[in-house]
């Protein structure tokens, strides 16, 4: 018996990620053991802390010129402005009280779009457009519609393309909702986080239920029927009872999808998080119980668990693609977007091309200066090696399916089936703890360990040991 076979403790289910619920099976000691680890969320591989300035605008320009415009493409536009800072926020955003900074920023973004489009040898075929932030709907309605018109003029946007926008219900207006509908937006993601007033006060995001319901009504009137709601666990003052009630309220609004994110307390990176009272944050077991309570509530209503932190109605495209093993993951989370080219626009936005990843300059003034000088505002990135691409495929399948056949991944990239035997042999501790199941050359994350899947993925990450950057807690 070889070392790989010796790790087999039970057969991996044929479709391990297709459970509707969130099982309860990880004990407090085990959570405490692994929750102390800091691991990436793996929305890319290698992850952003490993990007370097060696990949600059000149390198990015060369990558753009090598694009086959017939490749599938998607666009991400980052609008990093909010009216008020939510203390849990981990995004690159800026608080503004006037529209002038937003208008100026959008002017720079338009110029960046033109520069990028000019470097591509043809009109890139686009099937997905995503506006993130910040609060993209702080754009004036006319500015949003003109931005969509510009994208349609410079790229070959499919008639049935998904146009998605992140929305803060507190600042959405009826006029903006109507503009979204006219522009062709067909998917909206609304930030909620929690419906409990005490929790809302503690995170500086007071959002009564009626505000969210009004936003949904305006979107429905505008013809935008597909909606995602964002919920969070691990926030100050949350309890199993409070998050269960928030999930029940969210279900009454009948969203197609829900994203359930764990609060990442990283005050060394996001200084405004120091305003959050750490004494009222749940520990590892409390966070797990909150996540499980939300998952159980959504499962009881018929929603399927998708990957690490998403839920969808059966029949929703996310659920269908998971069933078929085609679910994807990128910087926006779990997605139906399988584009080979992702172009990011705006300060701090990240793009992905066959050659590697690029990220625009984060400081607004650096981004603006580059655009004004006619330079692509790339601040850093990373060129992918063959090993990176192989491990990215493996990690992404594990993050999407909770299971991966390492031999199949190796074969697909021209490697020996034994390419990942060393990593599988190194899983003995995870297998003993019930965090992973290894059978032959297939590894599977049991339903009871779903929130710990990043721990398993990290065992295949050859960059993590280099210590670039710090990450959020594992649960």
């Amino acid at each position: 018996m070889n070392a790989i076979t010796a790790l087999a403790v039970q057969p991996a289910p044929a479709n391990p990620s297709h459970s509707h619920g969130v099982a309860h099976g990880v004990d407090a000691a085990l959570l405490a053991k692994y929750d102390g680890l800091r691991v990436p969320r793996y929305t890319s591989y290698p992850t952003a802390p490993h990007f370097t300035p060696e990949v600059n605008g000149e390198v990015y320009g060369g990558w753009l010129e090598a694009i086959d415009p017939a490749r599938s493409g998607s666009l991400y536009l980052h609008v990093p402005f909010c009216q008020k800072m939510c203390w849990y926020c981990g995004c690159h955003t800026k608080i503004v009280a006037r529209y002038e900074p937003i208008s100026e920023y959008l002017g720079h973004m338009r110029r960046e779009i033109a520069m990028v489009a000019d470097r591509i040898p043809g009109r890139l075929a686009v099937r997905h457009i995503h506006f993130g932030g910040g609060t993209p709907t702080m754009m004036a309605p006319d500015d949003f519609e003109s931005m969509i018109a510009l994208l349609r003029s410079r790229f070959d946007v499919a008639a049935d393309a998904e146009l998605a926008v992140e929305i803060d219900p507190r600042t959405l207006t009826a006029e903006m909702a109507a503009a979204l509908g006219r522009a062709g937006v067909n998917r909206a993601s609304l930030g909620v986080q929690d419906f409990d007033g005490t929790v809302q006060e503690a995170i500086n995001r007071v959002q009564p239920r009626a505000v969210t319901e009004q936003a949904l009504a305006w979107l429905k009137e505008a013809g935008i029927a597909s909606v995602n709601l964002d919920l969070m666990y691990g926030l100050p003052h949350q309890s199993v009872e409070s998050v269960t009630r928030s999930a029940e309220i969210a279900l009454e609004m009948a969203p197609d999808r829900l994203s359930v994110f764990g609060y990442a307390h990283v005050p060394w990176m996001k200084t405004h998080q120091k305003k959050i009272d750490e004494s009222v944050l749940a520990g590892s077991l409390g966070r797990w119980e909150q996540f499980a309570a939300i998952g159980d509530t959504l499962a009881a209503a018929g929603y399927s668990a998708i990957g690490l932190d998403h839920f969808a109605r059966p029949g929703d495209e996310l659920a269908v693609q998971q069933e078929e093993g085609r679910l994807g993951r990128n910087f926006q989370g779990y997605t139906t977007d399988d584009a080979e080219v992702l172009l990011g626009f705006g300060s701090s936005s990240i793009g992905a091309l066959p050659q590697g990843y690029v990220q625009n300059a984060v400081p607004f003034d650096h981004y603006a200066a580059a655009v004004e000088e006619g330079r692509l505002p790339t601040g850093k990135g990373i060129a992918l090696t063959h090993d990176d691409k192989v491990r990215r495929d493996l990690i992404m399948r594990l993050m999407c399916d909770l299971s991966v056949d390492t031999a199949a991944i190796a074969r697909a990239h021209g490697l020996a089936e034994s390419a990942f035997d060393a990593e599988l042999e190194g899983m003995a501790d995870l297998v003993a703890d019930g965090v992973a199941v290894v059978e032959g050359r297939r590894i599977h994350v049991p339903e009871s360990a779903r929130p710990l899947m990043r721990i398993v993925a990290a065992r295949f990450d050859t960059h993590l040991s280099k210590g670039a950057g710090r990450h959020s807690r594992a649960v």
Side-chain angles (χ1 to χ4, degrees), residues 132-346:
T135 309
T137 47
M138 284 186 68
M139 297 171 63
D142 288 349
D143 281 342
F144 185 87
E145 291 187 79
S146 67
M147 187 67 74
I148 293 293
L150 173 62
L151 296 175
R152 293 185 185 279
S153 72
R154 299 309 306 262
F155 302 99
D156 186 12
V157 180
D160 61 347
E162 178 179 277
L163 273 66
V165 178
E166 297 175 10
I167 294 172
D168 181 343
R170 299 172 301 168
T171 61
L172 185 69
T173 65
E175 293 76 16
M176 186 60 184
L180 298 179
R182 290 193 299 269
V185 170
N186 47 30
R187 184 174 296 280
S189 182
L190 278 65
V192 173
Q193 321 321 340
D194 194 288
F195 285 102
D196 184 272
T198 299
V199 176
Q200 291 180 355
E201 290 281 356
I203 61 175
N204 201 38
R205 186 189 177 99
V206 176
Q207 182 176 317
R209 173 177 178 168
V211 171
T212 303
E213 291 175 331
Q214 178 62 81
L216 289 169
W218 283 333
L219 293 171
K220 184 177 181 179
E221 290 173 8
I224 305 169
S226 186
V227 171
N228 176 87
L229 296 182
D230 289 345
L231 298 178
M232 293 185 71
Y233 64 92
L235 293 172
H237 299 293
Q238 283 184 320
S239 65
V240 166
E241 293 73 22
S242 72
V243 298
T244 299
R245 180 55 184 151
S246 285
E248 291 170 345
I249 294 172
L251 288 171
E252 293 173 11
M253 300 178 185
D256 298 279
R257 304 173 184 174
L258 296 102
S259 302
V260 182
F261 301 122
Y263 167 55
H265 191 58
V266 286
W268 59 86
M269 293 174 58
K270 300 294 179 180
T271 56
H272 54 266
Q273 291 188 353
K274 294 179 181 179
K275 296 179 180 292
I276 286 181
D277 181 358
E278 295 183 350
S279 71
V280 291
L281 294 176
S284 300
L285 182 59
R287 287 170 62 91
W288 163 245
E289 291 175 338
Q290 290 172 18
F291 174 77
I294 295 172
D296 288 347
T297 302
L298 301 182
Y303 286 74
S304 296
I306 307 292
L308 177 66
D309 47 24
H310 284 40
F311 295 81
R313 290 179 179 274
D316 182 272
E317 194 175 358
L318 270 184
V320 171
Q321 289 204 1
Q322 179 174 255
E323 288 285 342
E324 297 175 351
R326 297 186 297 112
L327 183 66
R329 183 166 174 80
N330 63 19
F331 301 105
Q332 284 77 60
Y334 290 101
T335 178
T336 60
D337 183 2
D338 61 355
E340 299 171 275
V341 175
L342 167 62
L343 303 179
F345 300 106

